[in-house]
Amino acid sequence: MKRKFLGIDIGGTNIRAKVISGEGTTLGERKTRSDARMGISRLMENLAGLIEGFAGEGVSAIGIGIPGIVDRASGTLVQAPNIANTRNFPFTEALSEKIGAATPVFIENDASCAALGEYRAGAGRGSNSMIMITLGTGFGGGIILDGRLWTGESGFAGELGHMTINPLGPPCAGGGRGCIETYVSQVAIKRIVREHPELREKLADAEDEALPERLAELAREKDQAAISVWNDFGTNLGVGISILVNILDVKTVVVGGGLSGAWELFIGKALEEAETRCLGGAKRGLQVKRAALGDDAGALGACYVAESGLGGRP
Ligand SMILES: [Zn+2]
């Protein structure tokens, strides 16, 4: 019998699921609310309901991307700041019990799943090693070295947002200061706009969620203050890219996430800065690409997690 894999991407708002064949063809898709902020038991209910919808598919394994730190071997969700009441939660055990099926379940960090998705089927296709940067609420990422997701010695790798680019900079949720996430993320845009006397006034009516889009509109209308914020955003992103490229000598950097919608407003400065800071050998052949799969990357990457969990392609 041909194998099928179910990949699930848990977000703050939605859970997206996708079934692919062993050859990578999408066979089905579904979406439901996650209600992650209402706690882990509500999330597990929603998740189980979604999986039940695929009961007739006969999937060989389930891969799940979760916004948090996971212990892959034991299937434990160690920590997830955006899912209430969650610390060392036995995720795969609880889910298997709930769905009452013997289908193996594998978990992975959500940003790592997105990186795997882009690597195998999106902008990173054909590369050997790749860094994915996800510009969303925070600055997330994933690292693929020699075809394998690099998860680190303790499963923590890919926390790209906490590269320090200014030790005296704004405080970061992780406890440090001046992490790149405090300059290049949705949270950063919010801080920068609210601290800017002119922009604060121009965007006073914008909800936090809508701020990046509104700021992009202003910049496209040639507002100089808005243009300058996106320029700095690009420059700081370029600094981050150069740090990663100088250390890892990876030739493909893929940039995705909601804020990549403002691509043309920041990518020029980002490339300019990366070009200045990357050392000769590291910068030769470097390609910085825009992510190609959008919201699909996470669920697709989770399908690959299911596949490699069963001992398929890494
Ligand atoms: Zn930090």
Side-chain angles (χ1 to χ4, degrees):
M1 198 182 85
K2 292 218 163 167
R3 298 205 294 183
K4 291 180 193 174
F5 304 101
L6 172 57
I8 297 174
D9 180 31
I10 299 178
T13 313
N14 292 311
I15 309 177
R16 293 164 192 277
K18 203 182 218 345
V19 175
I20 63 165
S21 69
E23 289 77 37
T25 313
T26 298
L27 304 171
E29 282 173 310
R30 272 166 197 269
K31 195 169 99 169
T32 191
R33 294 185 53 79
S34 72
D35 301 324
R37 272 166 230 291
M38 298 173 75
I40 189 76
S41 39
R42 177 64 173 268
L43 172 68
M44 296 307 272
E45 290 289 336
N46 293 347
L47 190 54
L50 184 70
I51 293 171
E52 245 148 54
F54 291 100
E57 292 279 357
V59 298
S60 314
I62 303 172
I64 303 181
I66 310 173
I69 299 161
V70 301
D71 181 340
R72 296 159 190 84
S74 66
T76 305
L77 175 55
V78 179
Q79 208 181 324
N82 297 319
I83 306 172
N85 315 321
T86 312
R87 221 175 174 116
N88 294 321
F89 179 75
F91 197 95
T92 53
E93 195 188 308
L95 184 64
S96 298
E97 209 165 278
K98 216 169 194 33
I99 59 178
T103 317
V105 177
F106 302 96
I107 59 172
E108 184 49 78
N109 167 266
D110 62 340
S112 296
C113 285
L116 272 177
E118 288 288 343
Y119 176 72
R120 293 255 311 254
R125 244 175 113 163
S127 62
N128 180 46
S129 299
M130 182 195 103
I131 295 162
M132 168 106 191
I133 294 173
T134 307
L135 304 175
T137 310
F139 184 112
I143 299 170
I144 288 162
L145 298 178
D146 261 340
R148 298 189 74 97
L149 185 65
W150 174 248
T151 54
E153 298 290 354
S154 50
F156 213 76
E159 290 292 328
L160 308 183
H162 301 285
M163 286 185 281
T164 300
I165 59 170
N166 176 7
L168 305 176
C172 167
R177 274 186 172 276
C179 298
I180 195 164
E181 184 163 289
T182 67
Y183 292 95
V184 186
S185 68
Q186 189 169 324
V187 170
I189 295 275
K190 180 180 147 190
R191 175 188 61 80
I192 292 161
V193 167
R194 301 300 186 215
E195 284 174 359
H196 195 292
E198 197 184 318
L199 288 172
R200 184 173 54 209
E201 210 156 290
K202 282 181 182 160
L203 297 171
D205 65 326
E207 304 267 343
D208 286 350
E209 291 288 301
L211 263 187
E213 189 45 45
R214 292 284 305 279
L215 186 69
E217 277 167 23
L218 269 186
R220 289 180 188 120
E221 289 159 9
K222 307 285 175 235
D223 179 281
Q224 285 311 309
I227 289 172
S228 148
V229 171
W230 285 112
N231 281 345
D232 291 349
F233 183 97
T235 299
N236 287 322
L237 173 62
V239 171
I241 290 172
S242 71
I243 293 172
L244 295 164
V245 167
N246 281 332
I247 294 173
L248 297 170
D249 186 19
V250 162
K251 298 300 180 200
T252 307
V253 177
V254 175
V255 181
L259 294 190
S260 62
W263 185 257
E264 84 281 5
L265 298 172
F266 64 75
I267 196 61
K269 286 286 177 195
L271 293 176
E272 199 180 303
E273 194 66 21
E275 169 79 19
T276 309
R277 290 173 180 266
C278 286
L279 303 178
K283 106 176 126 188
R284 204 169 306 126
L286 174 66
Q287 288 187 296
V288 179
K289 297 176 168 182
R290 188 168 175 176
L293 301 178
D295 289 340
D296 257 5
L300 193 56
C303 290
Y304 302 141
V305 167
E307 183 183 9
S308 70
L310 281 191
R313 212 186 122 162

